[in-house]
Each structure stands twice: as C-alpha cells, then as structure tokens.
Amino acid sequence: MGKRRAFSLKSAFTSFGENLKRIVSIASREVGLIVHNPIYICCMVVFPIIVIFFFTSLMSEGQPEKLPCGVVDNDNTSTTRALIQRLDAFQSTRVVAHYNNVSEARQAIQRGEIYGFLYIPDHMTADLIAQRQPKVSFYYSNVTLVAGGMVFKDLKTITTLVSASVGSAKLQMLGKTNREIRNFIQPIAIDLHMIGNPWMSYNVYLSSIMIPGVLVLFMLLITVYSIGTELKFGRAREWIQMADYNIFVALTGKLLPQTLIFLSIFLGFEWYIYGYLNFPHPGGLPMILLIAVLTVLSSQGFGTFAFGLMPSLRMSMSVCSLWAVVGFSACGATFPLFAMDGMIQALAEIIPLRHYYMIYQICVFNGYPLIDAWQNVIILVGFACLPILTMRNLKRAMLEYVYRSEEHTSELQS
C-alpha cells in the first residue's frame, strides 16, 4: 500500500514537471509571436500607456477653469460693472465678451464661443435700490453637462451675492451690527465636507474608471485575437500538440506572457495614479493589488470564454468589443445603476467593468473591508473560471476547424 502511494505521488510530480516544461515551451513560443507582431506591442504596451497619460493629463487641473461666458449689460452702472468683475474673478468662469443684445449672445452660444451669458436689464440698479425686485436673467448651454453646470453655478452665485450686498448696505444704514446682518442674510450656514474627494477633482472620478475600462477592452481583444489567430494562420494543431493535447496546459502557456504584461501595465497605472498623482486610496496597497489581479484574470477569462463559445475570430472580437463598450455606461460610474431600467441593471451584472468599479469604490476609494464587496469579488473570480465551460469546444475547434479566408468563417473539415 505504501509503495503504491509513493509510486502515485512520484507519477504525479513527474506529470506536473512535464506539464510545467510544456507551459514554459508554449510561453516562449508566445513571446516570440508577441515580439514579431506589432499588433501585440501596440495594443498591450504602447496604446495603454498613451491612454493612461492622455486621460490623466486631460483632466490634470481637476476641474475645468476659465470657462468662457458673456454679458449683456443694458444698465451699465458702477454696481453692474462690479458685478461683472466679480463674475470674471471666479476660478471656473471668465468673461470673454460683451454683447449688445440677447440675440447676439444667443448666437455666440450656438456657435460654441461661450457656454452662457448674464443679461442685466435697464434700470436694474435703480429698481434694486427701490426694492422693485428687478429680474436678472442668465442663459447657459447644457449640451456639455459639466461646463454648463459650472457656468450655471457661478451665474447663480453672482446674482445672489449682488442681492445680499444691497441688503447688507440697507441694514447698515439702519444701524444693524455685522452679526445681525449676517444672521439676517444667511440664517442657516452650510458646513459642507466632501468625503473621499474634497477637491472635487474630475480626474479622480473619471480617470479611475475610464482608463481601466480601456485596458479591459484591450485585454479582451488581445485574448481573443491571440487564440483566434492560431486557427486563422493554421498554427492551432501545432499549439495543441505542444501541450500534449491538454487544452488547460495550452491556454496556460499562451496566456501567461499576456497576463504578466497586462498585469505590469495595470500595476504601473495604479502606481501612477495612487503613488504619483496621489489619488485618494484609503483602502491601502493590498486592495490595489487584489483589484489589479482580479481585473486582468477576469478579462482574459471572459475573452477565452467568448472565443470558446463561438470559435470565430470576427464574431468573438465583436462580442468582446460590445461587452467592453457597454461597460462604460452600465458600470454606474457616470450615472447611478439603480436609476437605470431593470433590464440594464440585470445586464450590468455580467459585465466585468461593473464589478471592478464596485470593488474600487467600496474597498479602495472608501476604505471599507473586502467583505462588503464579496459578491463582486466572487463574480470576477467566476469570470476568470468561465473558460472551464468551453474548454471542450475550444479544443475541438483547434483540432477540427479550418479557417476559410474567402468566406472569413470557420468550418468543419469535410
């Protein structure tokens, strides 16, 4: 009994060693394919690095500044000129033009020259002093949501400040103290504290989800492309034979170099935003490393599953592209998922980027324990294990299907 068990362990170690040699041999072959094919270098290294620096530098200021706006000042008094100077002094707004009438200012908005304008009617100052409640109008374009919202906020703030300054002057004339004036004008003081991102930096909000979304897109496409080209260029049988017809060994050796490259890029991205740009990350280093590993493995797993489900290079790449692009909208980063249609909410649960975002905001951004995102972790692990369901179909495709270039389809050999 003891000899049989020792023989069994010895054969297991021998088999493991042989499989390990096959994995290394296939991985070396894959490195050669990567080096000699510019598509791999561009989509795995060059384009991801460009995307990382493009998005983070695009929003490096945190918020848009000096957004152009205009003024239609039909009153032209010292009060209205002071009002315009205060508006121009705001960080996010800059007065770039004065217009003679509303029609000219409206046309400037339509041409994209300004995002909004302030309209001051005739006799506004006199009506304000006489307490006749003059109407000051402001118009803004909400085609660009962020710019329109920020211009609206500044225009509304400046009109409120003018009304408060006139009220303060009248109360001073009545002999009221500064404290009484302050309590009368602003009976409730708002003490606002933004949790997690006190700078209200759009770079923190958007780069932390847009860049991983693009990286996931590259991972899905490269995974499908690397497997599909084995069939397209007639290398599939050679690849499987190198693994001694073990599809697990074949996939492990093929995807191992890609995993290491994508993981290096993803970890470099995380070091850049958390270590260099100082994005908030109270969750700490373990959560950052975990989310990187889960994202890379789940993306490769889903790509392999997609090709195993439909062994067509064109069809599987189209499905992966659609899945990755839909993730930008359905992940819940730009619009809350609970406010979407029920069908979209259900669809979002089978998109890897959605679960990346949930783990990021729960564990990395807010610093909550991993147990609060356990469902999302399990789903990403499930994505990584999906190829198990299509291993048999994938092996069959590699051994029996041939690529027909004139029809761009894979068919069974007759």
Side-chain angles (χ1 to χ4, degrees), residues 26-27 29-49 218-233 235 239 253-259 261-262 265 300 313 317:
I26 296 173
R29 171 180 177 269
E30 186 67 18
V31 170
L33 294 175
I34 292 174
V35 171
H36 292 92
N37 193 336
I39 292 179
Y40 288 106
I41 303 298
C42 292
C43 293
M44 298 174 69
V45 179
V46 178
F47 291 158
I49 292 177
F218 284 132
M219 294 176 204
L220 291 173
L221 294 180
I222 286 296
T223 300
V224 172
Y225 177 81
S226 65
I227 299 174
T229 49
E230 295 286 352
L231 187 61
K232 179 178 179 179
F233 297 123
R235 302 191 303 257
W239 172 42
K254 169 164 281 293
L255 298 181
L256 181 60
Q258 300 175 28
T259 302
I261 294 174
F262 278 127
I265 294 294
Q300 290 185 305
L313 182 60
M317 289 189 73

Side-chain angles (χ1 to χ4, degrees), residues 187-199:
I188 299 176
I190 299 176
D191 188 14
L192 178 63
H193 298 275
M194 295 186 64
I195 299 176
N197 186 11
W199 318 276

